[in-house]
Amino acid sequence: MLHQEIPSSSTRIAPLVAARSVEFDPELVQRLGKNGPRYTSYPTADRFADTFSYRDYLHAVASVRTRGGARPLSLYLHIPFCDTVCYYCACNKIVTKNRDKAATYLGYLKREITMQAGLFAGMNEVEQLHFGGGTPTYLSDEQMGELMAHLRRSFRFAPDEAGEYSIEVDPRTVSAERVHSLRAQGFNRISLGVQDFDPDVQKAVNRVQPEAETRAIIAAARDAGFRSVSIDLIYGLPKQRLESMTVTIGKVIDASPDRISIYHYAHLPHVFKPQRRILDADMPSSNEKLGMLALCIERLTDAGYVYIGMDHFAKPDDDLAVAQRQGRLHRNFQGYSTHADADLISCGVSAISAVGATYSQNAKTLEAYYEALDNNELPVVRGIALGMDDLLRRTVIQKLMCQFELSMSAIELAFPIAFGQYFAAEMAVLRHLERDGLVTIDGDWISVTMRGRLLIRNVCMVFDRYLAVPGTVPRYSRTV
C-alpha cells in the first residue's frame, strides 16, 4: 500500500440544512471559465496508454487478491445501442434498428462478465451496479432479465436494501409495465434523460419526448418502489432560451426527483458528427447560457435541493447529500457515488475499470471487443498504473471535488510528504485563486468558497500535473 485512506473525520460535518450551498457570480464564471477535465478519474482517461494491456489488468487483480480483506465491488455495464440519434449526444453509441446486433453483443457481454467473475471469485460482494449507454433499455425485457440473472449467477450481490443498483432510462423506450419489471429484476434506482421539456428544443435535437410521457414513467418508478429517481437536464441546447428554461425547471421541480443533473452542452460539431445537424443560428449566446445556469441554481436551491458538486443537485435526505456531509462522497466514472472503497469492474465496449491502483479501458469498437473475447482474453486495450504521485493528487482532487475542502495535515498522515513543500508551486497558484475569491487557505484547511464551487474544476486543475506536459492538448468541455 502506497498510502492510507483519509478518515472521514478530516471533513467538517455540516448540519442537515437545505440552505443555499453555492453562489452564482456571473462575472467570475465568465472571466475564469475555461476548458478542463471533469475528473471522473485522475489521471484522466486521455492519459491512458496502449502500453497497458490485458496482462497488466490481471496483475492488478492479483495484487488486490494478495492484499486480502473484504472490499465491496462496483459493476458497470455499457449498453451502446440507441434506436435513434439525439443530435447533441457525444456518447460512445451505436444507432441501429437491427435488434440482432444487441443479441450478438449480449452473448459477448455475458462472456466478459463470466471472465471477470472468475478473477474476483470469493473475494468481494457487489454493492453497486450501474447500467449506462447508449440506451440500456434498448435491450428487451427478456434480454434484460437474462442479463441480470447471469450477473447474479456470476457475482454475489448485497441485499436490495444495502445495494445501489441503478439504470439509465430513455422514457421514450419504456412503459409503466417495463419500469415495474426493471424493479423486479433488481434495479432500485432509475435515471431519466429529459434534457428539456420545451417542444421546440426537443425537435431541434431530434428527441421529441412529451412531458406526460416522462411524468408517467416517474410515477411508475415511485409506484414500483424505486428508492431514487434522477433527472438529467442540459442547458445551452439549440432553441433554448431563459423563458423556456424557466418553464422546464419549474416542471422538473414539480416532478420532485431525488437527484437532478444539469449538464452544460458542449457544441463541438467538428468532433461529433451528429451535432452538425444543429444550426449555429439556433444556439443560445454565452450570456443566455449563464442566465439559464443562474436560474436553475436559484430555483433548485430555493426548492430545497443541495448542491452536490459539478452539475449535481440532490434532496437533503438523499444518500449523496448525506454522504457529502459525512465525508464519504466519492467520484468515479459513474459520477458522484457513496462507494468510495469499491473496486470498479466495467464490462462492455469502451467501458473503464478502476481496480487497485490502475485504470483500464476496453476496446472502443465492436469488432475489436469481439475479437479479444474470441481469443479468450478480456478486451482491455489501454490504461494506466498509478504511481504514488498519481494517488496523492487523486486523493487531493477527490477531496476538493466531493467535500469542497481538505485538511493538509490529513493528507500528510496518509502520504509521506510535507504538503506545503510538495505542492509549493500549486499553493502559489491557489493564492491567486484565493484573491479571485474561489478558495480560502486558513491554517490547515483549503476550502472552496460558495462562489468558487461552480468553478471547482478550475481549482482541481491546479493539482493536475499532466496539464503541464508540453505538446498535449486534450479535448475538454468548459468548466461552466
Side-chain angles (χ1 to χ4, degrees):
M1 287 288 288
L2 291 175
H3 74 290
Q4 300 174 343
E5 293 294 331
I6 296 178
S8 60
S9 58
S10 67
T11 297
R12 296 173 281 191
I13 299 175
L16 176 57
V17 293
R20 188 181 303 276
S21 53
V22 61
E23 288 182 16
F24 180 78
D25 184 329
E27 186 278 329
L28 195 66
V29 169
Q30 198 163 34
R31 179 163 55 88
L32 298 181
K34 59 182 178 180
N35 294 351
R38 296 182 62 82
Y39 292 115
T40 50
S41 71
Y42 180 84
T44 50
D46 49 277
R47 309 301 176 180
F48 298 176
D50 56 11
T51 52
F52 186 101
S53 68
Y54 165 51
R55 287 164 183 77
D56 294 300
Y57 179 79
L58 293 181
H59 180 72
V61 176
S63 296
V64 171
R65 184 177 288 278
T66 301
R67 183 177 64 203
R71 282 165 56 94
L73 277 181
S74 178
L75 295 181
Y76 172 75
L77 271 68
H78 189 75
I79 311 298
F81 302 103
C82 291
D83 192 61
T84 58
V85 62
C86 301
Y87 297 161
Y88 58 81
C89 186
C91 298
N92 184 12
K93 61 194 176 297
I94 299 167
V95 181
T96 178
K97 294 186 182 296
N98 182 359
R99 302 283 164 164
D100 291 341
K101 287 190 175 183
T104 301
Y105 181 76
L106 197 56
Y108 279 95
L109 184 62
K110 289 178 180 177
R111 288 166 62 178
E112 185 186 6
I113 290 167
T114 298
M115 293 172 69
Q116 290 279 15
L119 293 177
F120 285 86
M123 291 170 58
N124 309 78
E125 180 177 72
V126 175
E127 290 187 357
Q128 186 181 40
L129 170 69
H130 186 80
F131 275 58
T135 306
T137 45
Y138 184 93
L139 298 181
S140 69
D141 187 48
E142 182 181 3
Q143 287 174 326
M144 187 66 75
E146 292 174 358
L147 182 53
M148 288 296 288
H150 183 77
L151 281 169
R152 292 188 178 278
R153 287 192 299 268
S154 303
F155 291 94
R156 180 166 52 92
F157 280 73
D160 180 77
E161 61 273 13
E164 182 177 297
Y165 308 131
S166 62
I167 184 167
E168 298 172 8
V169 167
D170 180 344
R172 302 171 301 168
T173 67
V174 296
S175 62
E177 291 75 19
R178 179 75 191 275
V179 171
H180 279 263
S181 183
L182 289 170
R183 183 68 183 98
Q185 288 164 352
F187 296 102
N188 55 29
R189 295 180 178 274
I190 191 168
S191 176
L192 281 68
V194 173
Q195 323 319 341
D196 195 305
F197 278 126
D198 186 83
D200 291 336
V201 176
Q202 292 180 355
K203 290 176 185 176
V205 297
N206 197 39
R207 189 188 175 101
V208 176
Q209 184 175 314
E211 177 192 352
E213 193 175 77
T214 301
R215 295 292 290 259
I217 299 306
I218 294 173
R222 298 294 190 199
D223 186 55
F226 277 86
R227 287 212 308 267
S228 175
V229 176
S230 303
I231 281 182
D232 291 346
L233 300 175
I234 299 178
Y235 73 95
L237 291 173
K239 298 285 189 180
Q240 263 183 349
R241 297 297 181 263
L242 190 61
E243 295 77 15
S244 65
M245 182 58 81
T246 300
V247 175
T248 288
I249 198 67
K251 291 178 177 180
V252 169
I253 291 170
D254 185 62
S256 192
D258 302 282
R259 300 176 185 175
I260 300 170
S261 299
I262 306 176
Y263 299 106
H264 176 223
Y265 169 59
H267 190 53
L268 300 169
H270 60 288
V271 177
F272 303 111
K273 189 175 180 180
Q275 294 184 3
R276 296 171 195 171
R277 305 186 192 185
I278 293 175
L279 300 178
D280 289 338
D282 289 339
M283 296 299 296
S285 67
S286 296
N287 284 337
E288 285 176 312
K289 288 190 286 186
L290 286 178
M292 290 181 224
L293 177 59
L295 168 76
C296 291
I297 292 169
E298 180 180 6
R299 292 292 300 276
L300 290 176
T301 52
D302 285 349
Y305 285 88
V306 174
Y307 180 66
I308 300 300
M310 291 285 293
D311 4 63
H312 289 62
F313 293 80
K315 289 183 176 179
D317 58 351
D318 183 86
D319 288 349
L320 285 183
V322 174
Q324 186 180 61
R325 290 193 300 274
Q326 295 178 347
R328 297 184 293 103
L329 194 64
H330 180 65
R331 187 162 173 81
N332 60 22
F333 293 103
Q334 300 169 23
Y336 285 101
S337 168
T338 60
H339 295 265
D341 55 347
D343 285 307
L344 172 63
I345 302 173
S346 296
C347 297
V349 63
S350 78
I352 300 176
S353 297
V355 175
T358 68
Y359 293 113
S360 55
Q361 186 170 26
N362 283 352
K364 292 185 178 182
T365 67
L366 289 181
E367 292 77 12
Y369 178 73
Y370 293 161
E371 182 180 3
L373 290 166
D374 282 336
N375 291 329
N376 294 315
E377 292 189 351
L378 288 173
V380 174
V381 296
R382 59 198 293 262
I384 189 170
L386 279 63
M388 194 203 78
D389 180 78
D390 294 324
L391 292 167
L392 166 61
R393 292 173 185 273
R394 180 174 72 174
T395 300
V396 169
I397 288 171
Q398 280 273 342
K399 280 292 177 184
L400 291 171
M401 290 289 288
C402 297
Q403 274 76 50
F404 297 118
E405 63 181 3
L406 67 83
S407 162
M408 290 180 272
S409 62
I411 297 292
E412 292 173 339
L413 286 174
F415 293 89
I417 66 160
F419 194 98
Q421 294 178 11
Y422 195 93
F423 291 118
E426 289 82 355
M427 291 300 291
V429 177
L430 281 185
R431 292 292 181 187
H432 287 287
L433 296 186
E434 186 176 34
R435 288 193 287 272
D436 282 324
L438 271 66
V439 300
T440 60
I441 304 171
D442 182 15
D444 184 44
W445 290 88
I446 299 172
S447 303
V448 183
T449 66
M450 296 299 180
R451 296 172 65 211
R453 291 186 177 194
L454 281 177
L455 292 161
I456 183 61
R457 290 157 72 181
N458 293 56
V459 179
C460 292
M461 287 167 68
V462 172
F463 292 94
D464 188 339
R465 72 178 177 89
Y466 291 93
L467 294 179
V469 177
T472 59
V473 186
R475 183 180 69 242
Y476 298 124
S477 62
R478 295 283 293 177
T479 52
V480 178

